[in-house]
mmCIF file of all heavy atoms in Angstrom:
data_model
loop_
_atom_site.group_PDB
_atom_site.id
_atom_site.type_symbol
_atom_site.label_atom_id
_atom_site.label_comp_id
_atom_site.label_asym_id
_atom_site.label_seq_id
_atom_site.Cartn_x
_atom_site.Cartn_y
_atom_site.Cartn_z
ATOM 1 N N ASP A 1 1.209 -10.686 -13.120
ATOM 2 C CA ASP A 1 1.737 -10.001 -11.935
ATOM 3 C C ASP A 1 1.397 -8.515 -11.958
ATOM 4 O O ASP A 1 1.036 -7.932 -10.930
ATOM 5 C CB ASP A 1 3.249 -10.183 -11.829
ATOM 6 C CG ASP A 1 3.630 -11.582 -11.365
ATOM 7 O OD1 ASP A 1 2.739 -12.340 -10.929
ATOM 8 O OD2 ASP A 1 4.826 -11.917 -11.443
ATOM 9 N N GLU A 2 1.493 -7.912 -13.137
ATOM 10 C CA GLU A 2 1.197 -6.488 -13.252
ATOM 11 C C GLU A 2 -0.274 -6.219 -12.934
ATOM 12 O O GLU A 2 -0.602 -5.223 -12.286
ATOM 13 C CB GLU A 2 1.554 -6.001 -14.660
ATOM 14 C CG GLU A 2 1.694 -4.518 -14.785
ATOM 15 C CD GLU A 2 2.274 -4.110 -16.126
ATOM 16 O OE1 GLU A 2 2.008 -4.771 -17.136
ATOM 17 O OE2 GLU A 2 3.003 -3.122 -16.143
ATOM 18 N N ALA A 3 -1.141 -7.124 -13.356
ATOM 19 C CA ALA A 3 -2.574 -6.966 -13.071
ATOM 20 C C ALA A 3 -2.862 -7.047 -11.575
ATOM 21 O O ALA A 3 -3.810 -6.423 -11.090
ATOM 22 C CB ALA A 3 -3.372 -8.027 -13.821
ATOM 23 N N ARG A 4 -2.051 -7.786 -10.845
ATOM 24 C CA ARG A 4 -2.232 -7.892 -9.390
ATOM 25 C C ARG A 4 -1.798 -6.609 -8.686
ATOM 26 O O ARG A 4 -2.270 -6.317 -7.566
ATOM 27 C CB ARG A 4 -1.432 -9.069 -8.841
ATOM 28 C CG ARG A 4 -2.014 -10.415 -9.183
ATOM 29 C CD ARG A 4 -1.170 -11.584 -8.704
ATOM 30 N NE ARG A 4 -0.614 -11.412 -7.378
ATOM 31 C CZ ARG A 4 0.500 -12.011 -6.970
ATOM 32 N NH1 ARG A 4 1.176 -12.793 -7.780
ATOM 33 N NH2 ARG A 4 0.940 -11.822 -5.740
ATOM 34 N N LEU A 5 -0.896 -5.856 -9.289
ATOM 35 C CA LEU A 5 -0.375 -4.660 -8.626
ATOM 36 C C LEU A 5 -1.446 -3.589 -8.432
ATOM 37 O O LEU A 5 -1.488 -2.935 -7.387
ATOM 38 C CB LEU A 5 0.799 -4.077 -9.422
ATOM 39 C CG LEU A 5 2.105 -4.857 -9.349
ATOM 40 C CD1 LEU A 5 3.131 -4.267 -10.312
ATOM 41 C CD2 LEU A 5 2.648 -4.882 -7.932
ATOM 42 N N THR A 6 -2.297 -3.388 -9.409
ATOM 43 C CA THR A 6 -3.280 -2.302 -9.339
ATOM 44 C C THR A 6 -4.238 -2.453 -8.160
ATOM 45 O O THR A 6 -4.364 -1.522 -7.350
ATOM 46 C CB THR A 6 -4.043 -2.177 -10.668
ATOM 47 O OG1 THR A 6 -3.099 -1.910 -11.708
ATOM 48 C CG2 THR A 6 -5.059 -1.052 -10.616
ATOM 49 N N PRO A 7 -4.909 -3.608 -8.017
ATOM 50 C CA PRO A 7 -5.805 -3.707 -6.851
ATOM 51 C C PRO A 7 -5.051 -3.684 -5.520
ATOM 52 O O PRO A 7 -5.567 -3.172 -4.527
ATOM 53 C CB PRO A 7 -6.541 -5.037 -7.058
ATOM 54 C CG PRO A 7 -5.782 -5.774 -8.093
ATOM 55 C CD PRO A 7 -5.024 -4.770 -8.890
ATOM 56 N N ASP A 8 -3.835 -4.231 -5.521
ATOM 57 C CA ASP A 8 -3.039 -4.179 -4.292
ATOM 58 C C ASP A 8 -2.721 -2.736 -3.904
ATOM 59 O O ASP A 8 -2.785 -2.367 -2.728
ATOM 60 C CB ASP A 8 -1.737 -4.969 -4.448
ATOM 61 C CG ASP A 8 -1.942 -6.474 -4.481
ATOM 62 O OD1 ASP A 8 -3.094 -6.937 -4.285
ATOM 63 O OD2 ASP A 8 -0.950 -7.197 -4.698
ATOM 64 N N LEU A 9 -2.376 -1.912 -4.890
ATOM 65 C CA LEU A 9 -2.069 -0.516 -4.617
ATOM 66 C C LEU A 9 -3.312 0.238 -4.145
ATOM 67 O O LEU A 9 -3.235 1.040 -3.210
ATOM 68 C CB LEU A 9 -1.478 0.160 -5.858
ATOM 69 C CG LEU A 9 -1.056 1.611 -5.701
ATOM 70 C CD1 LEU A 9 0.004 1.759 -4.599
ATOM 71 C CD2 LEU A 9 -0.534 2.161 -7.024
ATOM 72 N N VAL A 10 -4.441 -0.045 -4.759
ATOM 73 C CA VAL A 10 -5.701 0.589 -4.338
ATOM 74 C C VAL A 10 -5.997 0.231 -2.879
ATOM 75 O O VAL A 10 -6.360 1.103 -2.080
ATOM 76 C CB VAL A 10 -6.863 0.161 -5.265
ATOM 77 C CG1 VAL A 10 -8.206 0.584 -4.687
ATOM 78 C CG2 VAL A 10 -6.676 0.751 -6.662
ATOM 79 N N ALA A 11 -5.808 -1.039 -2.531
ATOM 80 C CA ALA A 11 -6.060 -1.474 -1.145
ATOM 81 C C ALA A 11 -5.088 -0.805 -0.178
ATOM 82 O O ALA A 11 -5.485 -0.377 0.919
ATOM 83 C CB ALA A 11 -5.948 -2.992 -1.050
ATOM 84 N N LEU A 12 -3.814 -0.692 -0.583
ATOM 85 C CA LEU A 12 -2.831 -0.026 0.286
ATOM 86 C C LEU A 12 -3.190 1.439 0.506
ATOM 87 O O LEU A 12 -3.115 1.937 1.632
ATOM 88 C CB LEU A 12 -1.434 -0.124 -0.322
ATOM 89 C CG LEU A 12 -0.685 -1.435 -0.103
ATOM 90 C CD1 LEU A 12 0.581 -1.469 -0.941
ATOM 91 C CD2 LEU A 12 -0.351 -1.614 1.370
ATOM 92 N N LYS A 13 -3.576 2.110 -0.557
ATOM 93 C CA LYS A 13 -3.942 3.528 -0.427
ATOM 94 C C LYS A 13 -5.168 3.696 0.457
ATOM 95 O O LYS A 13 -5.242 4.642 1.256
ATOM 96 C CB LYS A 13 -4.161 4.155 -1.801
ATOM 97 C CG LYS A 13 -2.872 4.375 -2.555
ATOM 98 C CD LYS A 13 -3.118 5.083 -3.884
ATOM 99 C CE LYS A 13 -1.796 5.363 -4.581
ATOM 100 N NZ LYS A 13 -1.973 6.120 -5.828
ATOM 101 N N ALA A 14 -6.123 2.797 0.325
ATOM 102 C CA ALA A 14 -7.332 2.872 1.163
ATOM 103 C C ALA A 14 -6.982 2.652 2.628
ATOM 104 O O ALA A 14 -7.458 3.383 3.508
ATOM 105 C CB ALA A 14 -8.356 1.836 0.697
ATOM 106 N N GLN A 15 -6.131 1.669 2.883
ATOM 107 C CA GLN A 15 -5.726 1.408 4.268
ATOM 108 C C GLN A 15 -4.906 2.574 4.810
ATOM 109 O O GLN A 15 -5.058 2.962 5.971
ATOM 110 C CB GLN A 15 -4.936 0.099 4.368
ATOM 111 C CG GLN A 15 -4.647 -0.299 5.803
ATOM 112 C CD GLN A 15 -4.023 -1.679 5.918
ATOM 113 O OE1 GLN A 15 -3.756 -2.350 4.935
ATOM 114 N NE2 GLN A 15 -3.802 -2.100 7.152
ATOM 115 N N GLN A 16 -4.057 3.150 3.976
ATOM 116 C CA GLN A 16 -3.255 4.298 4.409
ATOM 117 C C GLN A 16 -4.165 5.473 4.781
ATOM 118 O O GLN A 16 -3.948 6.140 5.792
ATOM 119 C CB GLN A 16 -2.291 4.697 3.296
ATOM 120 C CG GLN A 16 -1.370 5.834 3.673
ATOM 121 C CD GLN A 16 -0.448 6.209 2.528
ATOM 122 O OE1 GLN A 16 -0.867 6.238 1.373
ATOM 123 N NE2 GLN A 16 0.793 6.483 2.853
ATOM 124 N N THR A 17 -5.178 5.715 3.978
ATOM 125 C CA THR A 17 -6.132 6.790 4.263
ATOM 126 C C THR A 17 -6.841 6.539 5.589
ATOM 127 O O THR A 17 -6.993 7.452 6.417
ATOM 128 C CB THR A 17 -7.158 6.916 3.119
ATOM 129 O OG1 THR A 17 -6.465 7.236 1.912
ATOM 130 C CG2 THR A 17 -8.201 7.983 3.413
ATOM 131 N N GLN A 18 -7.249 5.292 5.786
ATOM 132 C CA GLN A 18 -7.914 4.932 7.035
ATOM 133 C C GLN A 18 -6.979 5.124 8.232
ATOM 134 O O GLN A 18 -7.375 5.660 9.273
ATOM 135 C CB GLN A 18 -8.394 3.482 6.966
ATOM 136 C CG GLN A 18 -9.106 3.018 8.221
ATOM 137 C CD GLN A 18 -9.442 1.535 8.171
ATOM 138 O OE1 GLN A 18 -8.815 0.764 7.458
ATOM 139 N NE2 GLN A 18 -10.448 1.146 8.939
ATOM 140 N N MET A 19 -5.734 4.738 8.054
ATOM 141 C CA MET A 19 -4.771 4.872 9.148
ATOM 142 C C MET A 19 -4.484 6.341 9.459
ATOM 143 O O MET A 19 -4.347 6.722 10.622
ATOM 144 C CB MET A 19 -3.489 4.116 8.817
ATOM 145 C CG MET A 19 -3.674 2.593 8.808
ATOM 146 S SD MET A 19 -2.223 1.683 8.232
ATOM 147 C CE MET A 19 -1.112 1.959 9.617
ATOM 148 N N LYS A 20 -4.394 7.167 8.417
ATOM 149 C CA LYS A 20 -4.188 8.603 8.649
ATOM 150 C C LYS A 20 -5.359 9.188 9.420
ATOM 151 O O LYS A 20 -5.173 10.052 10.288
ATOM 152 C CB LYS A 20 -4.002 9.333 7.323
ATOM 153 C CG LYS A 20 -2.646 9.111 6.702
ATOM 154 C CD LYS A 20 -2.515 9.884 5.398
ATOM 155 C CE LYS A 20 -1.142 9.701 4.783
ATOM 156 N NZ LYS A 20 -0.986 10.455 3.531
ATOM 157 N N GLN A 21 -6.561 8.719 9.126
ATOM 158 C CA GLN A 21 -7.741 9.210 9.829
ATOM 159 C C GLN A 21 -7.712 8.777 11.288
ATOM 160 O O GLN A 21 -8.078 9.545 12.180
ATOM 161 C CB GLN A 21 -9.024 8.724 9.144
ATOM 162 C CG GLN A 21 -10.285 9.334 9.717
ATOM 163 C CD GLN A 21 -10.290 10.846 9.617
ATOM 164 O OE1 GLN A 21 -10.047 11.413 8.552
ATOM 165 N NE2 GLN A 21 -10.560 11.525 10.730
ATOM 166 N N LEU A 22 -7.251 7.555 11.514
ATOM 167 C CA LEU A 22 -7.134 7.084 12.900
ATOM 168 C C LEU A 22 -6.174 7.970 13.690
ATOM 169 O O LEU A 22 -6.444 8.307 14.844
ATOM 170 C CB LEU A 22 -6.665 5.624 12.940
ATOM 171 C CG LEU A 22 -7.669 4.578 12.462
ATOM 172 C CD1 LEU A 22 -7.013 3.206 12.368
ATOM 173 C CD2 LEU A 22 -8.883 4.531 13.395
ATOM 174 N N LEU A 23 -5.058 8.337 13.058
ATOM 175 C CA LEU A 23 -4.114 9.240 13.723
ATOM 176 C C LEU A 23 -4.741 10.602 13.977
ATOM 177 O O LEU A 23 -4.583 11.176 15.065
ATOM 178 C CB LEU A 23 -2.847 9.398 12.888
ATOM 179 C CG LEU A 23 -1.823 8.279 12.972
ATOM 180 C CD1 LEU A 23 -0.634 8.587 12.057
ATOM 181 C CD2 LEU A 23 -1.341 8.076 14.400
ATOM 182 N N ALA A 24 -5.444 11.100 12.959
ATOM 183 C CA ALA A 24 -6.079 12.415 13.102
ATOM 184 C C ALA A 24 -7.109 12.399 14.230
ATOM 185 O O ALA A 24 -7.291 13.400 14.933
ATOM 186 C CB ALA A 24 -6.741 12.830 11.788
ATOM 187 N N ASP A 25 -7.772 11.249 14.395
ATOM 188 C CA ASP A 25 -8.779 11.106 15.453
ATOM 189 C C ASP A 25 -8.159 10.672 16.781
ATOM 190 O O ASP A 25 -8.883 10.391 17.741
ATOM 191 C CB ASP A 25 -9.847 10.080 15.037
ATOM 192 C CG ASP A 25 -10.666 10.539 13.855
ATOM 193 O OD1 ASP A 25 -10.662 11.748 13.540
ATOM 194 O OD2 ASP A 25 -11.306 9.670 13.209
ATOM 195 N N LYS A 26 -6.820 10.616 16.804
ATOM 196 C CA LYS A 26 -6.079 10.225 18.008
ATOM 197 C C LYS A 26 -6.463 8.833 18.524
ATOM 198 O O LYS A 26 -6.439 8.569 19.721
ATOM 199 C CB LYS A 26 -6.229 11.277 19.097
ATOM 200 C CG LYS A 26 -5.681 12.627 18.666
ATOM 201 C CD LYS A 26 -5.780 13.659 19.740
ATOM 202 C CE LYS A 26 -5.222 14.965 19.185
ATOM 203 N NZ LYS A 26 -5.269 16.065 20.100
ATOM 204 N N GLN A 27 -6.768 7.947 17.599
ATOM 205 C CA GLN A 27 -7.084 6.560 17.938
ATOM 206 C C GLN A 27 -5.809 5.729 17.740
ATOM 207 O O GLN A 27 -5.690 4.925 16.828
ATOM 208 C CB GLN A 27 -8.228 6.034 17.063
ATOM 209 C CG GLN A 27 -9.531 6.764 17.289
ATOM 210 C CD GLN A 27 -10.649 6.190 16.437
ATOM 211 O OE1 GLN A 27 -10.626 5.019 16.065
ATOM 212 N NE2 GLN A 27 -11.634 7.016 16.134
ATOM 213 N N TYR A 28 -4.871 5.962 18.622
ATOM 214 C CA TYR A 28 -3.538 5.403 18.469
ATOM 215 C C TYR A 28 -3.504 3.880 18.572
ATOM 216 O O TYR A 28 -2.750 3.222 17.851
ATOM 217 C CB TYR A 28 -2.582 6.034 19.477
ATOM 218 C CG TYR A 28 -2.509 7.539 19.337
ATOM 219 C CD1 TYR A 28 -2.905 8.369 20.372
ATOM 220 C CD2 TYR A 28 -2.071 8.121 18.150
ATOM 221 C CE1 TYR A 28 -2.851 9.760 20.243
ATOM 222 C CE2 TYR A 28 -2.003 9.500 18.014
ATOM 223 C CZ TYR A 28 -2.398 10.306 19.055
ATOM 224 O OH TYR A 28 -2.347 11.677 18.911
ATOM 225 N N ALA A 29 -4.308 3.318 19.428
ATOM 226 C CA ALA A 29 -4.323 1.861 19.578
ATOM 227 C C ALA A 29 -4.827 1.200 18.297
ATOM 228 O O ALA A 29 -4.257 0.207 17.828
ATOM 229 C CB ALA A 29 -5.187 1.449 20.771
ATOM 230 N N ALA A 30 -5.870 1.762 17.719
ATOM 231 C CA ALA A 30 -6.410 1.214 16.468
ATOM 232 C C ALA A 30 -5.401 1.382 15.333
ATOM 233 O O ALA A 30 -5.227 0.486 14.501
ATOM 234 C CB ALA A 30 -7.730 1.898 16.124
ATOM 235 N N TYR A 31 -4.731 2.530 15.321
ATOM 236 C CA TYR A 31 -3.695 2.775 14.319
ATOM 237 C C TYR A 31 -2.565 1.762 14.467
ATOM 238 O O TYR A 31 -2.149 1.116 13.498
ATOM 239 C CB TYR A 31 -3.154 4.198 14.452
ATOM 240 C CG TYR A 31 -1.940 4.463 13.593
ATOM 241 C CD1 TYR A 31 -2.083 4.868 12.274
ATOM 242 C CD2 TYR A 31 -0.645 4.295 14.095
ATOM 243 C CE1 TYR A 31 -0.973 5.093 11.465
ATOM 244 C CE2 TYR A 31 0.467 4.520 13.308
ATOM 245 C CZ TYR A 31 0.304 4.925 11.986
ATOM 246 O OH TYR A 31 1.400 5.138 11.196
#
């Protein structure tokens, strides 16, 4: 279970970064 946490966290952080960029680009529907 612990081994599953690391890639899951990496994926969450990547998606969060992408979502922040969508907000910054005012792409609200995509966000």
Side-chain angles (χ1 to χ4, degrees):
D1 285 349
E2 198 170 34
R4 287 177 41 206
L5 287 173
T6 300
D8 288 355
L9 182 59
V10 169
L12 279 171
K13 287 184 177 184
Q15 187 173 2
Q16 183 181 40
T17 299
Q18 180 186 24
M19 291 173 70
K20 285 181 178 181
Q21 187 59 51
L22 290 172
L23 281 179
D25 294 343
K26 299 182 181 179
Q27 296 182 27
Y28 302 118
Y31 171 86

